PDB file of all heavy atoms in Angstrom:
ATOM      1  N   ASN A1268     151.944  79.355 319.971  1.00 93.00           N
ATOM      2  CA  ASN A1268     152.333  80.763 320.026  1.00 93.00           C
ATOM      3  C   ASN A1268     152.281  81.313 321.444  1.00 93.00           C
ATOM      4  O   ASN A1268     152.811  82.380 321.712  1.00 93.00           O
ATOM      5  CB  ASN A1268     151.455  81.605 319.097  1.00 93.00           C
ATOM      6  CG  ASN A1268     151.744  81.289 317.643  1.00 93.00           C
ATOM      7  OD1 ASN A1268     152.900  81.100 317.257  1.00 93.00           O
ATOM      8  ND2 ASN A1268     150.709  81.209 316.839  1.00 93.00           N
ATOM      9  N   GLU A1269     151.635  80.580 322.345  1.00 94.00           N
ATOM     10  CA  GLU A1269     151.558  80.996 323.746  1.00 94.00           C
ATOM     11  C   GLU A1269     152.719  80.386 324.527  1.00 94.00           C
ATOM     12  O   GLU A1269     152.887  79.166 324.544  1.00 94.00           O
ATOM     13  CB  GLU A1269     150.235  80.540 324.362  1.00 94.00           C
ATOM     14  CG  GLU A1269     149.021  81.184 323.752  1.00 94.00           C
ATOM     15  CD  GLU A1269     147.739  80.677 324.378  1.00 94.00           C
ATOM     16  OE1 GLU A1269     147.752  80.301 325.573  1.00 94.00           O
ATOM     17  OE2 GLU A1269     146.732  80.645 323.666  1.00 94.00           O
ATOM     18  N   PRO A1270     153.527  81.216 325.185  1.00 95.00           N
ATOM     19  CA  PRO A1270     154.670  80.695 325.952  1.00 95.00           C
ATOM     20  C   PRO A1270     154.242  80.102 327.297  1.00 95.00           C
ATOM     21  O   PRO A1270     154.157  80.796 328.299  1.00 95.00           O
ATOM     22  CB  PRO A1270     155.566  81.922 326.133  1.00 95.00           C
ATOM     23  CG  PRO A1270     154.649  83.085 326.035  1.00 95.00           C
ATOM     24  CD  PRO A1270     153.513  82.670 325.148  1.00 95.00           C
ATOM     25  N   ASP A1281     159.542  67.381 321.049  1.00 95.00           N
ATOM     26  CA  ASP A1281     159.363  67.159 319.618  1.00 95.00           C
ATOM     27  C   ASP A1281     160.672  67.415 318.867  1.00 95.00           C
ATOM     28  O   ASP A1281     161.008  66.690 317.929  1.00 95.00           O
ATOM     29  CB  ASP A1281     158.231  68.033 319.075  1.00 95.00           C
ATOM     30  CG  ASP A1281     157.678  67.510 317.766  1.00 95.00           C
ATOM     31  OD1 ASP A1281     157.646  66.283 317.571  1.00 95.00           O
ATOM     32  OD2 ASP A1281     157.269  68.340 316.930  1.00 95.00           O
ATOM     33  N   GLU A1284     162.873  64.436 319.203  1.00 93.00           N
ATOM     34  CA  GLU A1284     162.450  63.374 318.282  1.00 93.00           C
ATOM     35  C   GLU A1284     162.882  63.682 316.854  1.00 93.00           C
ATOM     36  O   GLU A1284     163.459  62.835 316.175  1.00 93.00           O
ATOM     37  CB  GLU A1284     160.928  63.200 318.323  1.00 93.00           C
ATOM     38  CG  GLU A1284     160.416  62.508 319.549  1.00 93.00           C
ATOM     39  CD  GLU A1284     160.830  61.057 319.621  1.00 93.00           C
ATOM     40  OE1 GLU A1284     160.825  60.367 318.583  1.00 93.00           O
ATOM     41  OE2 GLU A1284     161.167  60.616 320.726  1.00 93.00           O
ATOM     42  N   GLU A1285     162.591  64.890 316.405  1.00 92.00           N
ATOM     43  CA  GLU A1285     162.913  65.290 315.030  1.00 92.00           C
ATOM     44  C   GLU A1285     164.408  65.207 314.752  1.00 92.00           C
ATOM     45  O   GLU A1285     164.823  64.807 313.675  1.00 92.00           O
ATOM     46  CB  GLU A1285     162.447  66.729 314.763  1.00 92.00           C
ATOM     47  CG  GLU A1285     160.972  66.890 314.584  1.00 92.00           C
ATOM     48  CD  GLU A1285     160.474  66.412 313.233  1.00 92.00           C
ATOM     49  OE1 GLU A1285     161.198  66.526 312.230  1.00 92.00           O
ATOM     50  OE2 GLU A1285     159.352  65.891 313.198  1.00 92.00           O
ATOM     51  N   LEU A1286     165.220  65.602 315.743  1.00 91.00           N
ATOM     52  CA  LEU A1286     166.670  65.622 315.572  1.00 91.00           C
ATOM     53  C   LEU A1286     167.315  64.292 315.947  1.00 91.00           C
ATOM     54  O   LEU A1286     168.522  64.148 315.857  1.00 91.00           O
ATOM     55  CB  LEU A1286     167.276  66.754 316.403  1.00 91.00           C
ATOM     56  CG  LEU A1286     166.759  68.160 316.078  1.00 91.00           C
ATOM     57  CD1 LEU A1286     167.354  69.174 317.039  1.00 91.00           C
ATOM     58  CD2 LEU A1286     167.067  68.538 314.636  1.00 91.00           C
ATOM     59  N   ASN A1290     170.960  61.194 323.533  1.00 87.00           N
ATOM     60  CA  ASN A1290     171.206  61.600 324.912  1.00 87.00           C
ATOM     61  C   ASN A1290     170.210  62.691 325.296  1.00 87.00           C
ATOM     62  O   ASN A1290     170.491  63.877 325.163  1.00 87.00           O
ATOM     63  CB  ASN A1290     172.639  62.090 325.076  1.00 87.00           C
ATOM     64  CG  ASN A1290     172.974  62.463 326.497  1.00 87.00           C
ATOM     65  OD1 ASN A1290     172.144  62.344 327.392  1.00 87.00           O
ATOM     66  ND2 ASN A1290     174.191  62.936 326.704  1.00 87.00           N
ATOM     67  N   ARG A1291     169.055  62.284 325.783  1.00 87.00           N
ATOM     68  CA  ARG A1291     167.981  63.227 326.089  1.00 87.00           C
ATOM     69  C   ARG A1291     168.286  64.132 327.279  1.00 87.00           C
ATOM     70  O   ARG A1291     167.586  65.115 327.507  1.00 87.00           O
ATOM     71  CB  ARG A1291     166.671  62.484 326.346  1.00 87.00           C
ATOM     72  CG  ARG A1291     166.119  61.762 325.140  1.00 87.00           C
ATOM     73  CD  ARG A1291     165.670  62.776 324.084  1.00 87.00           C
ATOM     74  NE  ARG A1291     165.243  62.139 322.876  1.00 87.00           N
ATOM     75  CZ  ARG A1291     163.972  61.917 322.555  1.00 87.00           C
ATOM     76  NH1 ARG A1291     163.019  62.260 323.368  1.00 87.00           N
ATOM     77  NH2 ARG A1291     163.680  61.349 321.408  1.00 87.00           N
ATOM     78  N   VAL A1293     170.542  66.137 327.424  1.00 81.00           N
ATOM     79  CA  VAL A1293     170.953  67.403 326.828  1.00 81.00           C
ATOM     80  C   VAL A1293     169.748  68.316 326.619  1.00 81.00           C
ATOM     81  O   VAL A1293     169.866  69.535 326.675  1.00 81.00           O
ATOM     82  CB  VAL A1293     171.670  67.148 325.478  1.00 81.00           C
ATOM     83  CG1 VAL A1293     171.962  68.431 324.745  1.00 81.00           C
ATOM     84  CG2 VAL A1293     172.936  66.349 325.691  1.00 81.00           C
ATOM     85  N   VAL A1294     168.591  67.724 326.411  1.00 88.00           N
ATOM     86  CA  VAL A1294     167.401  68.512 326.074  1.00 88.00           C
ATOM     87  C   VAL A1294     166.216  68.195 326.992  1.00 88.00           C
ATOM     88  O   VAL A1294     165.085  68.087 326.529  1.00 88.00           O
ATOM     89  CB  VAL A1294     166.997  68.318 324.598  1.00 88.00           C
ATOM     90  CG1 VAL A1294     167.969  68.989 323.667  1.00 88.00           C
ATOM     91  CG2 VAL A1294     166.832  66.860 324.259  1.00 88.00           C
ATOM     92  N   LYS A1295     166.475  68.073 328.280  1.00 91.00           N
ATOM     93  CA  LYS A1295     165.364  67.875 329.214  1.00 91.00           C
ATOM     94  C   LYS A1295     164.575  69.178 329.314  1.00 91.00           C
ATOM     95  O   LYS A1295     165.157  70.233 329.550  1.00 91.00           O
ATOM     96  CB  LYS A1295     165.900  67.479 330.589  1.00 91.00           C
ATOM     97  CG  LYS A1295     166.406  66.056 330.651  1.00 91.00           C
ATOM     98  CD  LYS A1295     167.001  65.715 331.982  1.00 91.00           C
ATOM     99  CE  LYS A1295     166.034  65.979 333.111  1.00 91.00           C
ATOM    100  NZ  LYS A1295     166.567  65.585 334.413  1.00 91.00           N
ATOM    101  N   PRO A1296     163.271  69.132 329.138  1.00 93.00           N
ATOM    102  CA  PRO A1296     162.465  70.354 329.179  1.00 93.00           C
ATOM    103  C   PRO A1296     162.633  71.156 330.476  1.00 93.00           C
ATOM    104  O   PRO A1296     162.575  72.393 330.444  1.00 93.00           O
ATOM    105  CB  PRO A1296     161.027  69.842 329.046  1.00 93.00           C
ATOM    106  CG  PRO A1296     161.172  68.565 328.295  1.00 93.00           C
ATOM    107  CD  PRO A1296     162.469  67.966 328.776  1.00 93.00           C
ATOM    108  N   ASP A1297     162.884  70.489 331.586  1.00 92.00           N
ATOM    109  CA  ASP A1297     163.056  71.190 332.858  1.00 92.00           C
ATOM    110  C   ASP A1297     164.290  72.090 332.875  1.00 92.00           C
ATOM    111  O   ASP A1297     164.398  72.979 333.708  1.00 92.00           O
ATOM    112  CB  ASP A1297     163.180  70.187 334.014  1.00 92.00           C
ATOM    113  CG  ASP A1297     161.901  69.414 334.228  1.00 92.00           C
ATOM    114  OD1 ASP A1297     160.851  69.833 333.708  1.00 92.00           O
ATOM    115  OD2 ASP A1297     161.954  68.379 334.915  1.00 92.00           O
ATOM    116  N   ASN A1298     165.220  71.844 331.957  1.00 93.00           N
ATOM    117  CA  ASN A1298     166.461  72.610 331.921  1.00 93.00           C
ATOM    118  C   ASN A1298     166.343  73.918 331.146  1.00 93.00           C
ATOM    119  O   ASN A1298     167.325  74.641 331.026  1.00 93.00           O
ATOM    120  CB  ASN A1298     167.594  71.775 331.312  1.00 93.00           C
ATOM    121  CG  ASN A1298     167.992  70.613 332.181  1.00 93.00           C
ATOM    122  OD1 ASN A1298     167.738  70.600 333.374  1.00 93.00           O
ATOM    123  ND2 ASN A1298     168.603  69.616 331.575  1.00 93.00           N
ATOM    124  N   LEU A1301     161.413  79.521 330.505  1.00 93.00           N
ATOM    125  CA  LEU A1301     160.304  80.023 329.691  1.00 93.00           C
ATOM    126  C   LEU A1301     160.631  81.379 329.059  1.00 93.00           C
ATOM    127  O   LEU A1301     160.076  81.735 328.022  1.00 93.00           O
ATOM    128  CB  LEU A1301     159.037  80.112 330.544  1.00 93.00           C
ATOM    129  CG  LEU A1301     157.703  80.182 329.822  1.00 93.00           C
ATOM    130  CD1 LEU A1301     157.534  79.011 328.869  1.00 93.00           C
ATOM    131  CD2 LEU A1301     156.575  80.218 330.817  1.00 93.00           C
ATOM    132  N   TYR A1304     161.466  81.184 325.434  1.00 96.00           N
ATOM    133  CA  TYR A1304     160.473  80.441 324.658  1.00 96.00           C
ATOM    134  C   TYR A1304     160.486  80.820 323.177  1.00 96.00           C
ATOM    135  O   TYR A1304     160.511  79.947 322.312  1.00 96.00           O
ATOM    136  CB  TYR A1304     159.071  80.658 325.235  1.00 96.00           C
ATOM    137  CG  TYR A1304     158.012  79.854 324.506  1.00 96.00           C
ATOM    138  CD1 TYR A1304     157.787  78.530 324.829  1.00 96.00           C
ATOM    139  CD2 TYR A1304     157.259  80.417 323.480  1.00 96.00           C
ATOM    140  CE1 TYR A1304     156.838  77.778 324.166  1.00 96.00           C
ATOM    141  CE2 TYR A1304     156.307  79.679 322.803  1.00 96.00           C
ATOM    142  CZ  TYR A1304     156.098  78.362 323.155  1.00 96.00           C
ATOM    143  OH  TYR A1304     155.171  77.620 322.474  1.00 96.00           O
ATOM    144  N   ILE A1307     163.498  79.468 321.273  1.00 96.00           N
ATOM    145  CA  ILE A1307     163.391  78.015 321.117  1.00 96.00           C
ATOM    146  C   ILE A1307     162.322  77.676 320.083  1.00 96.00           C
ATOM    147  O   ILE A1307     162.509  76.805 319.242  1.00 96.00           O
ATOM    148  CB  ILE A1307     163.102  77.340 322.472  1.00 96.00           C
ATOM    149  CG1 ILE A1307     164.293  77.558 323.417  1.00 96.00           C
ATOM    150  CG2 ILE A1307     162.805  75.858 322.299  1.00 96.00           C
ATOM    151  CD1 ILE A1307     164.018  77.193 324.863  1.00 96.00           C
ATOM    152  N   LYS A1308     161.219  78.399 320.124  1.00 97.00           N
ATOM    153  CA  LYS A1308     160.153  78.158 319.145  1.00 97.00           C
ATOM    154  C   LYS A1308     160.619  78.491 317.736  1.00 97.00           C
ATOM    155  O   LYS A1308     160.260  77.804 316.778  1.00 97.00           O
ATOM    156  CB  LYS A1308     158.898  78.950 319.484  1.00 97.00           C
ATOM    157  CG  LYS A1308     157.754  78.599 318.521  1.00 97.00           C
ATOM    158  CD  LYS A1308     156.473  79.253 318.884  1.00 97.00           C
ATOM    159  CE  LYS A1308     155.373  78.893 317.919  1.00 97.00           C
ATOM    160  NZ  LYS A1308     155.666  79.187 316.502  1.00 97.00           N
ATOM    161  N   ASP A1309     161.439  79.527 317.589  1.00 96.00           N
ATOM    162  CA  ASP A1309     161.971  79.864 316.266  1.00 96.00           C
ATOM    163  C   ASP A1309     162.813  78.714 315.716  1.00 96.00           C
ATOM    164  O   ASP A1309     162.713  78.382 314.531  1.00 96.00           O
ATOM    165  CB  ASP A1309     162.817  81.145 316.328  1.00 96.00           C
ATOM    166  CG  ASP A1309     161.968  82.394 316.551  1.00 96.00           C
ATOM    167  OD1 ASP A1309     160.730  82.337 316.360  1.00 96.00           O
ATOM    168  OD2 ASP A1309     162.548  83.427 316.937  1.00 96.00           O
ATOM    169  N   MET A1313     161.867  76.424 312.412  1.00 95.00           N
ATOM    170  CA  MET A1313     162.825  76.223 311.342  1.00 95.00           C
ATOM    171  C   MET A1313     162.995  74.731 311.027  1.00 95.00           C
ATOM    172  O   MET A1313     162.981  74.324 309.869  1.00 95.00           O
ATOM    173  CB  MET A1313     164.180  76.823 311.717  1.00 95.00           C
ATOM    174  CG  MET A1313     165.237  76.642 310.652  1.00 95.00           C
ATOM    175  SD  MET A1313     166.905  76.947 311.241  1.00 95.00           S
ATOM    176  CE  MET A1313     167.156  75.548 312.325  1.00 95.00           C
ATOM    177  N   VAL A1314     163.120  73.916 312.073  1.00 94.00           N
ATOM    178  CA  VAL A1314     163.286  72.472 311.892  1.00 94.00           C
ATOM    179  C   VAL A1314     162.048  71.885 311.226  1.00 94.00           C
ATOM    180  O   VAL A1314     162.147  71.077 310.296  1.00 94.00           O
ATOM    181  CB  VAL A1314     163.580  71.769 313.236  1.00 94.00           C
ATOM    182  CG1 VAL A1314     163.479  70.261 313.104  1.00 94.00           C
ATOM    183  CG2 VAL A1314     164.952  72.171 313.762  1.00 94.00           C
ATOM    184  N   GLY A1318     162.115  70.199 307.360  1.00 83.00           N
ATOM    185  CA  GLY A1318     161.864  68.770 307.157  1.00 83.00           C
ATOM    186  C   GLY A1318     163.103  67.947 307.417  1.00 83.00           C
ATOM    187  O   GLY A1318     163.339  67.517 308.527  1.00 83.00           O
ATOM    188  N   VAL A1320     166.945  67.462 308.073  1.00 91.00           N
ATOM    189  CA  VAL A1320     168.031  68.251 308.648  1.00 91.00           C
ATOM    190  C   VAL A1320     169.315  67.428 308.578  1.00 91.00           C
ATOM    191  O   VAL A1320     169.331  66.258 308.956  1.00 91.00           O
ATOM    192  CB  VAL A1320     167.712  68.625 310.120  1.00 91.00           C
ATOM    193  CG1 VAL A1320     168.785  69.504 310.708  1.00 91.00           C
ATOM    194  CG2 VAL A1320     166.357  69.319 310.222  1.00 91.00           C
ATOM    195  N   VAL A1322     173.311  66.322 309.415  1.00 93.00           N
ATOM    196  CA  VAL A1322     174.025  66.092 310.673  1.00 93.00           C
ATOM    197  C   VAL A1322     174.707  67.375 311.174  1.00 93.00           C
ATOM    198  O   VAL A1322     174.579  67.714 312.345  1.00 93.00           O
ATOM    199  CB  VAL A1322     175.028  64.924 310.536  1.00 93.00           C
ATOM    200  CG1 VAL A1322     175.904  64.800 311.762  1.00 93.00           C
ATOM    201  CG2 VAL A1322     174.271  63.623 310.289  1.00 93.00           C
ATOM    202  N   ILE A1329     171.575  71.838 318.223  1.00 91.00           N
ATOM    203  CA  ILE A1329     171.793  71.413 319.607  1.00 91.00           C
ATOM    204  C   ILE A1329     172.663  72.435 320.334  1.00 91.00           C
ATOM    205  O   ILE A1329     172.392  72.785 321.487  1.00 91.00           O
ATOM    206  CB  ILE A1329     172.407  70.000 319.657  1.00 91.00           C
ATOM    207  CG1 ILE A1329     171.378  68.975 319.189  1.00 91.00           C
ATOM    208  CG2 ILE A1329     172.887  69.669 321.079  1.00 91.00           C
ATOM    209  CD1 ILE A1329     171.937  67.584 318.979  1.00 91.00           C
ATOM    210  N   ASP A1330     173.689  72.947 319.656  1.00 93.00           N
ATOM    211  CA  ASP A1330     174.526  73.989 320.264  1.00 93.00           C
ATOM    212  C   ASP A1330     173.708  75.236 320.587  1.00 93.00           C
ATOM    213  O   ASP A1330     173.898  75.865 321.632  1.00 93.00           O
ATOM    214  CB  ASP A1330     175.698  74.353 319.354  1.00 93.00           C
ATOM    215  CG  ASP A1330     176.771  73.284 319.325  1.00 93.00           C
ATOM    216  OD1 ASP A1330     176.809  72.436 320.249  1.00 93.00           O
ATOM    217  OD2 ASP A1330     177.582  73.285 318.372  1.00 93.00           O
ATOM    218  N   PHE A1335     170.265  78.178 325.591  1.00 93.00           N
ATOM    219  CA  PHE A1335     169.020  78.561 326.253  1.00 93.00           C
ATOM    220  C   PHE A1335     168.741  77.772 327.526  1.00 93.00           C
ATOM    221  O   PHE A1335     167.692  77.943 328.143  1.00 93.00           O
ATOM    222  CB  PHE A1335     167.832  78.414 325.291  1.00 93.00           C
ATOM    223  CG  PHE A1335     167.991  79.229 324.047  1.00 93.00           C
ATOM    224  CD1 PHE A1335     167.932  78.642 322.797  1.00 93.00           C
ATOM    225  CD2 PHE A1335     168.230  80.595 324.108  1.00 93.00           C
ATOM    226  CE1 PHE A1335     168.087  79.384 321.639  1.00 93.00           C
ATOM    227  CE2 PHE A1335     168.389  81.357 322.967  1.00 93.00           C
ATOM    228  CZ  PHE A1335     168.315  80.750 321.728  1.00 93.00           C
ATOM    229  N   ASN A1338     171.017  78.165 333.908  1.00 74.00           N
ATOM    230  CA  ASN A1338     172.372  78.047 334.505  1.00 74.00           C
ATOM    231  C   ASN A1338     172.326  77.368 335.836  1.00 74.00           C
ATOM    232  O   ASN A1338     171.470  77.380 336.569  1.00 74.00           O
ATOM    233  CB  ASN A1338     173.007  79.420 334.652  1.00 74.00           C
ATOM    234  CG  ASN A1338     173.275  80.033 333.268  1.00 74.00           C
ATOM    235  OD1 ASN A1338     173.550  79.314 332.327  1.00 74.00           O
ATOM    236  ND2 ASN A1338     173.204  81.327 333.182  1.00 74.00           N
TER     237      ASN A1338
END
Side-chain angles (χ1 to χ4, degrees):
N1268 291 320
E1269 295 179 30
D1281 200 34
E1284 285 293 320
E1285 285 284 327
L1286 302 176
N1290 183 1
R1291 294 292 175 99
V1293 173
V1294 289
K1295 286 177 55 177
D1297 294 344
N1298 293 339
L1301 199 55
Y1304 183 83
I1307 296 168
K1308 185 175 180 304
D1309 289 344
M1313 180 195 70
V1314 169
V1320 183
V1322 172
I1329 291 170
D1330 286 341
F1335 302 124
N1338 294 328

